[in-house]
Amino acid sequence: MKIVIVGAVAGGASAAARARRLDEDAEIILIERGAEPSYANCGLPYYVGGQIESRDKLLVAPAAHLRQRHALDVRTRQEVTAIDRTGKSVAVKNLESGEVYDETYDRLIVSTGASPLRPPIPGIEGPNVLGLRDLADVDRMHEHVTSGNCRRAVIVGAGFIGIEVAENLVRRGIDVTVVELANQILPPWDEEMVRPLEAHLRDQGVTLRLGDSAEAFAECSTSDGKLTVKLKSGEELRADFAAVCIGVRPESKLALDAGIECGPRGGIVTNDFLQTSDPNIYAVGDVAQVKDFVTSEPTQIPLAGPANRQGRIAADHIFGRNSRYRGTQGTAVVGIFGKTAAMTGHSEKLLRRDSRPYEKIYIHPNDHAGYYPGATQMTLKLLFDPDVGRIWGAQAVGTNGVDKRIDVIAMAMHAGMTVYDLEEAELCYAPQYGSAKDAVNMAGFVASGLLRGDHPHVHLSELTTESESGEHVLLDVRTEQEFANGHLNNAQNIPLEALRNRISELPKDCRIISYCQVGQRGYMATRLLQRKGFDAANLSGGYQLVQKSGNLLNT
């Protein structure tokens, strides 16, 4: 068996190593146009910021390692320029010598990845407009930030990479402005979940220009910087360099030119075994169009974990193993100056786009027992099917323990579990690690209570700025001091402890919407009122969600 792998890094290198473990006699050729076959893409921003001090630490599996340990034929600085499917060969160009030759294959794995989007903005090819995809990019950016005369930078794009670059440039003492076309950072998340992170970025000195975009880059030479970034809004930003981090597109031209089927977003269409429309050719990693785990629809989500699994599965299938790729779930995490945002599955905006029925709940649990020192609060949002409780997705934002809870929910989704199963999940507990009722259990309790009818609730988006025409009464069941510190417009304050004695103050001919700080007291008030014959519901997420989302319903 002769296997040729085009592109290394995560998917290609994983496929090569797995193939060797499955067949000691196979001829395995790994062709990579870069100087290194396997490096840590996700570590690039942290090398720029000095968190990773040595560039060598980015090299996950150097060429010599792959040759010696796995007996692979590793060819760096060589590029596959064409695929001949009929002759089962590829054309290869040596980028050092210019030599061009053909290499035959029995099976071909395409792992060419995705390239950063570089729209035709005037000046984008200038020397001070950088990207961050590979080691050559990181070397250029590292040189800029360590030159000693870099004071200002503009980052275009507030996705994963943009935010990570922003954090690391600030750590270098550089003034950073982030420009993002969407009206929020981290567009895959739902808007209300990332508002606290935007405030946190501003607290760290990062300037945000949301709902705006770069229209031109102009080289200059002034005391304010070497570059002028002109925005659609008319604002002009001076900087020493700009980093364009606005997304990626699959590098699928090689496959497309060979007549291999590609999807509408450019990804190479694959089946569950990662085979393309040519059964002798596989595609893995960011270049591949795969199945969405939640909906089974075609999708492309560029993440390192899925790329590694895909490489392994492709190698398995080549050697007769019945490995299948179950789909990409979109489980992701990002750190922002000590805060963490994590998600899995579908966001509310995606569920809305697809017209998929859903319900949602918010909770604000501590990462560990509140009585143990150092407890920090997170906000967790759970999205699920309103009929059977199947979990569509989850998002969490906080300081500690966020990744753990999203990982647990991701596994529950993968196992086909429902919100009712989250109630019963037995998770490890000690006061410094969690609570006897873990955040995951609490999310299950609230979601299941909603579906059983024990915990009716309304969402902030369902409320108008005023309680008009007697449609509902807003009941604030927090203490008088909490109420005085801020409350929803036209809310009536009856603390929970006084509610039984003052229940006659509430009308029975309209709905009572109770709320507290995080939802627990509001839930207790709702249950009490229901038992007394009232039409009652709890405000999901409580007053804290109002504050965190920047909603103007409060006074």
Side-chain angles (χ1 to χ4, degrees), residues 38-40 43-44 47 52 54-60 135 138:
S38 183
Y39 57 89
L44 300 183
Y47 173 61
I52 298 173
S54 171
R55 184 181 183 276
D56 289 345
K57 294 291 186 181
L58 297 172
L59 307 181
V60 177
L135 291 172
V138 82

Side-chain angles (χ1 to χ4, degrees), residues 191-272:
E191 181 179 342
E192 77 279 10
M193 295 298 290
V194 298
R195 288 298 179 221
L197 297 177
E198 292 168 2
H200 185 58
L201 279 167
R202 292 185 176 103
D203 289 342
Q204 301 299 318
V206 176
T207 301
L208 298 180
R209 293 288 182 265
L210 303 178
D212 211 340
S213 59
E215 289 206 324
F217 301 95
E219 297 292 327
C220 61
S221 181
T222 70
S223 59
D224 291 334
K226 305 169 187 173
L227 192 69
T228 297
V229 184
K230 299 178 181 180
L231 304 186
K232 185 177 181 180
S233 63
E235 185 177 4
E236 294 189 355
L237 306 174
R238 294 293 178 85
D240 293 298
F241 74 92
V244 178
C245 308
I246 56 176
V248 296
R249 67 159 57 93
E251 284 207 31
S252 55
K253 185 177 184 300
L254 191 65
L256 196 62
D257 290 347
I260 297 170
E261 183 183 0
C262 293
R265 294 175 57 193
I268 302 172
V269 175
T270 62
N271 61 17
D272 289 354

Side-chain angles (χ1 to χ4, degrees), residues 107-127:
R107 298 290 185 272
L108 180 70
I109 299 176
V110 179
S111 179
T112 45
S115 57
L117 289 171
R118 302 284 284 188
I121 300 172
I124 197 169
E125 299 304 328

Side-chain angles (χ1 to χ4, degrees), residues 160 184 186-191 193-194 332 334 341-343 349 395-396:
F160 291 94
Q184 65 172 87
L186 299 175
W189 272 258
D190 289 323
E191 181 179 342
M193 295 298 290
V194 298
V334 62
M343 70 181 304
K349 65 179 74 170
Q395 301 172 41

Side-chain angles (χ1 to χ4, degrees), residues 2-7 29-32 75 78-94 99-112 254-255 258 260 278 280-282:
K2 182 178 180 181
I3 302 170
V4 173
I5 302 171
V6 185
I29 302 171
L30 185 61
I31 302 174
E32 167 59 45
R75 304 177 188 178
Q78 299 192 30
E79 182 175 12
V80 172
T81 58
I83 301 171
D84 177 2
R85 293 167 55 199
T86 302
K88 294 182 72 173
S89 68
V90 294
V92 186
K93 180 178 181 180
N94 187 314
E99 173 196 4
V100 177
Y101 63 94
D102 291 335
E103 190 67 64
T104 61
Y105 64 82
D106 295 315
R107 298 290 185 272
L108 180 70
I109 299 176
V110 179
S111 179
T112 45
L254 191 65
I260 297 170
D278 184 327
N280 294 310
I281 300 176
Y282 296 72

